[in-house]
Structure formats: C-alpha cells, structure tokens
Amino acid sequence: MEDWIEHRRADGERVGWMRPEGEGFVPVDLLGREVSGAVDWLTAEETLDGIGIGYLADLYELRLDDGSWLRVRLAEVSPNRIVAKQDDFGAVGAPQLYYTLPFPLPETLRPLSR
C-alpha cells in the first residue's frame, strides 16, 4: 500500500487509490478491491469517480467462525481496518454488535446476494 496513490473526487472525499503497475495504474476501491486491470491515469481516475462510495451503504455478509453468514453493514472503512456492524434493521435499542476486520476486504466479508 505504500506506493498506492490516493484519489479524491472534486469535493475532497477519498474514493480509492491508484496502484502503479508497469506503465499503468490499477484503480482500487475503499475496501481494497481492484476494480479493473491496469489502465492509464485518466481512466483510473474516471473509474474510481464512476464507482463513487455508494457501495459502502450496501448490505454485506460476514462469515462467522461457525461457518454461518451474518447480515452486516459497514460502520467504518479505513486503510487500517474495516468495521462491520450486525444489521439491526434500524431497531432502536437493538444490541450493537461490531466486528473488526483487516484491510483489504477479507474473504469472510462479501456483498449480500439478493
């Protein structure tokens, strides 16, 4: 990650990084996922801008130690860690269960299949 180049959209919000690869750059989203192969600088920027950050509000599934899958939402995303929170369907007073995961996105966390 040391050679990744941060990319922010016009309003200053970070939307990902560009990882140098050969003569090009691989766009990487905020979860550490490569979103395309190596492309030129402008295409990498446009790719990250086009993806935005809306996927952070999506539902995800977290595989627990017993092998079951738990429905979660992302509570925090940084280059240091990802924090997922059990989806409580907006219930006031529901227990707040958080799971701290490594960055980039581990295989135990995946977008919820619909």
Side-chain angles (χ1 to χ4, degrees):
M1 236 186 100
E2 295 171 4
D3 63 341
W4 291 11
I5 302 160
E6 182 178 78
H7 177 65
R8 293 179 178 269
R9 49 182 200 205
D11 66 1
E13 182 76 34
R14 180 175 51 212
V15 293
W17 298 270
M18 293 175 288
R19 182 178 56 76
E21 183 175 296
E23 297 293 316
F25 300 89
V26 175
V28 178
D29 72 9
L30 293 174
L31 297 175
R33 301 177 294 190
E34 295 181 358
V35 295
S36 83
V39 294
D40 63 79
W41 180 271
L42 182 59
T43 302
E45 285 186 320
E46 290 171 346
T47 300
L48 290 171
D49 288 342
I51 292 169
I53 60 172
Y55 61 90
L56 296 176
D58 291 343
L59 289 168
Y60 289 79
E61 292 179 302
L62 175 64
R63 188 172 61 229
L64 302 176
D65 291 339
D66 67 4
S68 64
W69 290 92
L70 177 68
R71 180 178 161 139
V72 298
R73 293 192 176 273
L74 301 180
E76 178 186 333
V77 175
S78 78
N80 300 315
R81 67 183 188 169
I82 297 170
V83 178
K85 175 187 173 300
Q86 180 178 3
D87 184 31
D88 55 20
F89 302 93
V92 175
Q96 303 290 304
L97 300 174
Y98 292 90
Y99 302 87
T100 301
L101 308 166
F103 176 90
L105 181 82
E107 290 183 10
T108 56
L109 184 66
R110 67 183 184 196
L112 180 67
S113 307
R114 295 182 188 214

